[in-house]
Amino acid sequence: MAEVIDKITAVQRISDIYEANLSKISSGLPDYVNNSRRSALAAFRRMGIPGFKNENYKYTDLTRLFDNENFRRAFKTDEFDVDLKDVFSCDVPEFDTHLILVVNGWYDEKNNPNASHPEGIIIKSFQKAVVENRDLVEKYYGKIAKAEADPLTALNTAFAQDGLFIYIPDNTHISKPLQLINILRSEDDLYVTQRNLIIAGKNSQAKIMFCDHTLLPQNFIVNNITEFEIEEDAVIDIYSIQNQHNKTANLIGLYIRQQQNSHLVTNAVSLHGGIIRNNLNVLLDGEHAEAKICGLALSDKNQHVDNYTFIEHAKPNCQSDQLYKNILDDSSTGGFTGRIHVAPHAVKTQAYQRNNNVLLTNAAKMNTKPQLVIDNDDVKCSHGATVGRINEEALFYLQSRGINEKEARLMLMFAFAHEVLAEIKVDKLRDVIDKLVNKRLRGEVSKCHSCALDCIR
Amino acid sequence: MLVIKDLYAKVEEKDILKGINLTVNAGEVHVIMGPNGSGKSTLANVLAGNTNFEVTHGTATFNGKDLLEMSADVRAKEGLFLGFQYPVEIPGVSMVNFLKTAVNEHRKYRDQPPLSASDFLKLMREKKTLVQIDSQLTNRSVNEGFSGGEKKKNEIFQMAMLEPSLAILDETDSGLDIDALRIVSNGVNLLKTPNNATILVTHYQRLLDYIIPDFVHVLYQGRIVKSAGKELALELEEKGYDWIKKELGE
Ligand SMILES: Nc1ncnc2c1ncn2[C@@H]1O[C@H](COP(=O)(O)OP(=O)(O)OP(=O)(O)O)[C@@H](O)[C@H]1O
Ligand SMILES: [Mg+2]
């Protein structure tokens, strides 16, 4: 006798996981974090798994990914038996950073000795910060990344347990970059939820680097949300290097709120990954705030990289400038959506956007669209998008000078990519990333030079 | 040095070269003239290995080797140089990186070690003086934002850096002011040795005030229809191409 059972939907399965594990998820966390879970889950159920039906996820359908996953959830910190110093070494001695290690979404207490952090800065686990730094956290948590607006943010808010907390006090300038290394390492397929909160105080200055790595060849899904408050006059650079294997879905949401006169640079370099989705939300919430927003994505095989940006000009006299580039090989696919909203009273806004793409094969595909909603007349806005191929005339010119075709192609691709990398103002970091991109374009293993973690399998 | 026999070539199903015969020996300077669209640039590009053009018949040997078998970069490393009629701008590729790569690819081909950074800069300084190219230009991306004349000078500068045995200069004199024309011609003359040869494609006799050719050829409708000494250039300057067309029975 065959019984027909309705196939349970991914949304229902995830809701069931939530109900079954709620006590584990909530354990050790205060009410102001736990109380937002249920409404976030309801928001997630309402919006569903991000897919073609959701206008914001038109270019990245995650329904198959979620339908097919039955991955372990890391509800507590995994025992990570490796000493950071054993696996991490820097072969660029001059490139010196403050290292912070997060493993499977959990701040790694053992490998993050607090003493080594620069004076006055708080760097600790989200779990600890919500209790120990309640005055700071409660003011921002869930206020910059709103669960109702995005299914992945909702999902993260329902399941959030740990991640990274950084507080940079007012007037503090950190010259050495803070380098956050996100490591995925599991013997079985793993679903990771990570929640970060970073607060840059008034007139502070810092450079923060996110490095996303995989250590073992399992399937991974990462649902990572970062809330970032940049207060008045602060100058913040955020660099992210995404370098994970093809069985990883790296779903990243970065929410930034900028106050008056603050200055932001973001540069996301997607070197390698299965599915990469970067949601970047910048709210320019104080006059004369400036944001320079860049991204470079290199993809091959069946990789997919989708950058979605939403720049909200809420106050007058702000400036945003976006530059995104993709180089797509084989049958890889890419997406770029650049949403800009200029509020009615946000006069004297300057908002620029450019997206240039090179397809190396006929099978590679790129979707790109600007989405400008401008609610006043006193603005300067521009946008432009191109999808093209390697310039054959330039290729012949280089070859006619004795440079072989392969090298000439590389020179042209690198020249194309370098415009984005040139925006990295830390010389040593730019050199490191230049080299990585060069190696990646050459098809050599793109393992970070500066990292002994063997990421690519 | 270069022997072209009965060469036919087409582009996008259109026949352009229709039986070119030409022999160039070491130490010689050849000039190719001819009306617009007659196939001069096509010939230059075919010789340099531009795969947009398809050779349908004939042979070309360079120092005894089959030129048409070689890829463009190998032709360059064998000593052939094309000065482009329209040099392309390549944003993001710096002149220095471009030239260093090119020079070292040539050296590798000859089993020589790459030049050290300081030797390379020295070489570049020396050649810059020779062609009197503005120092600023070599700090930029290849041809990016260069004026028409600057692009042409840059071609001669690259030629000086690579020291080819056969240079084909496609209208390198067009768009040059009088001073630049003299400088470029000087460069060509200074680089001339008994072991190398030059093919100049030009529309103007004035270039020949500075560079004395051994032969002048007229290319018309894909064929070399007339060859003579330098006096032919003067005659063309004076009378145009009609009399040649008439001679051909048109
Ligand atoms: N890529 C191409 N596609 C189609 N036709 C082409 C192409 N390249 C050249 N041609 C044609 O081939 C013919 C010869 O062109 P070519 O550039 O060789 O002439 P040219 O003798 O150098 O002329 P000019 O003196 O104006 O430089 C022209 O009719 C031109 O339109
Ligand atoms: Mg021509």
Side-chain angles (χ1 to χ4, degrees):
Chain A
M1 190 180 80
E3 205 182 345
V4 181
I5 302 170
D6 277 344
K7 199 175 157 243
I8 177 168
T9 64
V11 170
Q12 190 54 48
R13 185 170 38 75
I14 289 168
S15 303
D16 293 347
I17 294 172
Y18 173 84
E19 300 298 349
N21 296 284
L22 186 57
S23 62
K24 269 192 236 170
I25 298 168
S26 307
S27 149
L29 294 163
D31 285 350
Y32 74 91
V33 174
N34 288 331
N35 286 346
S36 51
R37 295 188 192 282
R38 193 152 294 279
S39 60
L41 188 77
F44 167 67
R45 292 184 64 103
R46 203 167 50 242
M47 289 180 279
I49 303 291
F52 296 143
K53 274 179 265 168
N54 183 330
E55 181 66 24
N56 295 350
Y57 287 86
K58 237 171 102 178
Y59 302 145
T60 300
D61 186 1
L62 298 174
T63 50
R64 266 223 348 247
L65 177 78
F66 277 90
D67 279 346
N68 296 332
E69 69 100 5
N70 192 13
F71 299 175
R72 179 170 72 84
R73 264 64 179 167
F75 289 125
K76 61 180 180 47
T77 177
D78 281 335
E79 275 310 310
F80 188 63
D81 51 1
V82 176
D83 193 326
L84 175 60
K85 283 176 210 69
D86 293 342
V87 293
F88 192 88
S89 71
C90 207
D91 21 296
V92 187
E94 308 91 314
F95 187 58
D96 193 8
T97 61
H98 299 289
L99 281 181
I100 307 157
L101 196 69
V102 171
V103 182
N104 298 340
W106 289 77
Y107 184 84
D108 193 61
E109 294 292 349
K110 188 168 123 219
N111 280 308
N112 286 305
N114 242 336
S116 65
H117 296 316
E119 210 181 324
I121 303 183
I122 303 171
I123 300 177
K124 61 169 71 163
S125 73
F126 178 80
Q127 281 244 330
K128 276 193 177 163
V130 291
V131 177
E132 296 172 4
N133 304 87
R134 179 171 179 153
D135 49 330
L136 284 171
V137 179
E138 196 171 4
K139 199 167 145 200
Y140 301 108
Y141 182 70
K143 307 285 194 318
I144 310 173
K146 299 204 174 74
E148 319 81 63
D150 172 63
L152 293 177
T153 310
L155 199 52
N156 182 284
T157 306
F159 283 88
Q161 287 180 273
D162 197 22
L164 175 72
F165 173 77
I166 300 178
Y167 173 69
I168 305 161
D170 294 354
N171 304 311
T172 305
H173 295 196
I174 315 169
S175 50
K176 254 205 251 184
L178 300 173
Q179 185 179 12
L180 166 65
I181 303 178
N182 287 314
I183 288 171
L184 299 175
R185 189 179 193 272
S186 170
E187 300 292 336
D188 41 13
D189 295 343
L190 185 74
Y191 180 103
V192 166
T193 299
Q194 180 177 341
R195 183 75 176 213
N196 307 315
L197 174 61
I198 304 176
I199 303 159
K202 293 191 176 81
N203 190 37
S204 63
Q205 290 191 9
K207 295 174 178 69
I208 299 171
M209 225 176 126
F210 295 101
C211 298
D212 296 343
H213 292 288
T214 36
L215 266 195
L216 288 175
Q218 267 61 33
N219 285 296
F220 294 102
I221 296 176
V222 178
N223 174 211
N224 183 329
I225 297 290
T226 300
E227 291 180 278
F228 205 134
E229 176 78 6
I230 302 178
E231 297 192 337
E232 285 166 43
D233 302 306
V235 179
I236 298 296
D237 290 15
I238 303 170
Y239 302 111
S240 84
I241 297 170
Q242 302 175 321
N243 194 4
Q244 298 169 321
H245 64 55
N246 286 347
K247 284 157 76 184
T248 311
N250 201 19
L251 312 174
I252 302 290
L254 176 55
Y255 288 82
I256 299 168
R257 184 164 67 192
Q258 286 186 248
Q259 304 300 344
Q260 204 167 310
N261 287 321
S262 63
H263 191 279
L264 166 73
V265 173
T266 69
N267 206 325
V269 181
S270 307
L271 286 175
H272 212 283
I275 297 173
I276 296 177
R277 164 75 182 206
N278 289 309
N279 287 340
L280 176 61
N281 299 266
V282 178
L283 171 60
L284 296 157
D285 208 19
E287 284 199 46
H288 300 285
E290 278 181 30
K292 172 93 205 183
I293 293 152
C294 308
L296 171 69
L298 313 174
S299 58
D300 60 11
K301 311 252 166 51
N302 289 312
Q303 296 176 343
H304 176 76
V305 184
D306 183 7
N307 281 295
Y308 173 91
T309 63
F310 180 17
I311 315 300
E312 172 89 45
H313 281 264
K315 295 281 153 65
N317 290 305
C318 292
Q319 186 177 332
S320 66
D321 190 2
Q322 300 180 67
L323 174 64
Y324 276 85
K325 289 193 171 188
N326 291 55
I327 300 179
L328 300 100
D329 202 353
D330 301 331
S331 41
S332 64
T333 49
F336 174 76
T337 306
R339 199 169 149 198
I340 296 173
H341 178 233
V342 182
H345 51 276
V347 292
K348 304 259 185 286
T349 286
Q350 293 184 56
Y352 309 108
Q353 180 187 103
R354 184 151 62 88
N355 173 232
N356 302 123
N357 307 285
V358 171
L359 304 178
L360 301 180
T361 66
N362 288 328
K365 270 201 187 60
M366 180 71 200
N367 287 301
T368 173
K369 79 167 176 221
Q371 253 182 1
L372 277 62
V373 181
I374 298 167
D375 290 332
N376 78 67
D377 294 336
D378 191 7
V379 299
K380 274 190 204 153
C381 281
S382 71
H383 63 88
T386 59
V387 179
R389 296 183 175 278
I390 289 281
N391 181 346
E392 293 292 326
E393 233 189 304
L395 191 63
F396 176 60
Y397 191 85
L398 296 177
Q399 286 176 272
S400 78
R401 299 306 183 239
I403 301 168
N404 68 51
E405 183 183 341
K406 183 168 170 252
E407 201 60 37
R409 272 185 197 283
L410 280 167
M411 280 176 93
L412 293 176
M413 283 192 276
F414 192 71
F416 176 80
H418 187 75
E419 190 188 359
V420 177
L421 305 181
E423 297 295 338
I424 300 175
K425 300 300 178 206
V426 188
D427 292 355
K428 299 222 165 77
L429 178 60
R430 190 183 51 247
D431 290 350
V432 171
I433 296 179
D434 261 351
K435 283 202 192 93
L436 278 172
V437 167
N438 206 320
K439 282 190 111 178
R440 175 69 169 101
L441 290 172
R442 283 175 187 278
E444 294 166 14
V445 181
S446 64
K447 191 180 83 169
C448 287
H449 253 46
S450 54
C451 184
L453 303 172
D454 190 12
C455 307
I456 306 296
R457 301 242 172 181
Chain B
M1 177 176 273
L2 176 70
V3 182
I4 305 171
K5 282 193 182 141
D6 206 20
L7 190 68
Y8 284 70
K10 64 177 183 184
V11 59
E12 284 161 13
E13 299 312 305
K14 187 176 162 203
D15 294 312
I16 315 244
L17 301 184
K18 299 166 189 163
I20 300 276
N21 289 289
L22 179 67
T23 299
V24 177
N25 297 307
E28 293 176 352
V29 174
H30 289 243
V31 164
I32 298 180
M33 304 181 86
N36 294 133
S38 58
K40 303 181 297 295
S41 295
T42 302
L43 175 61
N45 272 276
V46 164
L47 293 176
N50 187 336
T51 50
N52 279 339
F53 301 90
E54 190 193 338
V55 174
T56 50
H57 186 262
T59 60
T61 57
F62 184 46
N63 294 324
K65 294 181 190 162
D66 183 353
L67 188 68
L68 304 179
E69 277 295 296
M70 300 174 200
S71 61
D73 61 297
V74 172
R75 296 181 199 202
K77 287 177 281 207
E78 285 284 334
L80 188 141
F81 179 90
L82 170 61
F84 285 78
Q85 182 174 3
Y86 304 110
V88 56
E89 301 195 8
I90 314 182
V93 174
S94 73
M95 277 297 296
V96 171
N97 186 31
F98 161 61
L99 283 171
K100 201 190 302 172
T101 308
V103 167
N104 284 332
E105 287 286 313
H106 276 73
R107 293 178 64 85
K108 192 161 86 192
Y109 193 73
R110 297 190 299 252
D111 286 325
Q112 293 167 327
L115 281 184
S116 71
S118 66
D119 283 347
F120 173 76
L121 290 175
K122 215 175 100 197
L123 178 71
M124 215 165 82
R125 251 194 321 272
E126 185 187 307
K127 302 297 184 185
K128 264 182 351 195
T129 324
L130 186 74
V131 299
Q132 298 180 29
I133 189 168
D134 185 345
S135 252
Q136 298 304 316
L137 292 180
T138 53
N139 292 330
R140 310 222 310 242
S141 289
V142 177
N143 292 324
E144 193 186 23
F146 287 26
S147 75
E150 287 168 342
K151 284 179 184 163
K152 296 300 174 74
K153 263 196 186 178
N154 193 21
E155 296 294 291
I156 299 299
F157 172 54
Q158 291 171 44
M159 177 175 98
M161 289 292 290
L162 297 174
E163 299 184 327
S165 55
L166 175 66
I168 306 167
L169 302 178
D170 190 359
E171 298 200 26
T172 305
D173 55 329
S174 301
L176 291 180
D177 61 40
I178 297 295
D179 289 340
L181 183 67
R182 198 174 52 240
I183 292 163
V184 163
S185 317
N186 266 342
V188 172
N189 286 330
L190 285 169
L191 294 167
K192 198 180 159 197
T193 72
N195 302 319
N196 61 24
T198 310
I199 301 175
L200 298 168
V201 175
T202 184
H203 286 293
Y204 306 107
Q205 141 71 23
R206 62 170 195 172
L207 176 67
L208 309 180
D209 293 342
Y210 302 98
I211 303 174
I212 313 298
D214 300 293
F215 300 95
V216 175
H217 310 277
V218 176
L219 190 72
Y220 180 60
Q221 292 190 342
R223 280 194 199 89
I224 290 178
V225 294
K226 199 167 193 67
S227 297
K230 68 174 172 130
E231 67 287 350
L232 178 56
L234 282 169
E235 199 171 352
L236 290 170
E237 180 95 346
E238 205 176 301
K239 302 199 271 184
Y241 292 106
D242 280 354
W243 62 280
I244 292 184
K245 292 179 191 169
K246 270 206 198 90
E247 272 188 15
L248 292 169
E250 288 189 11

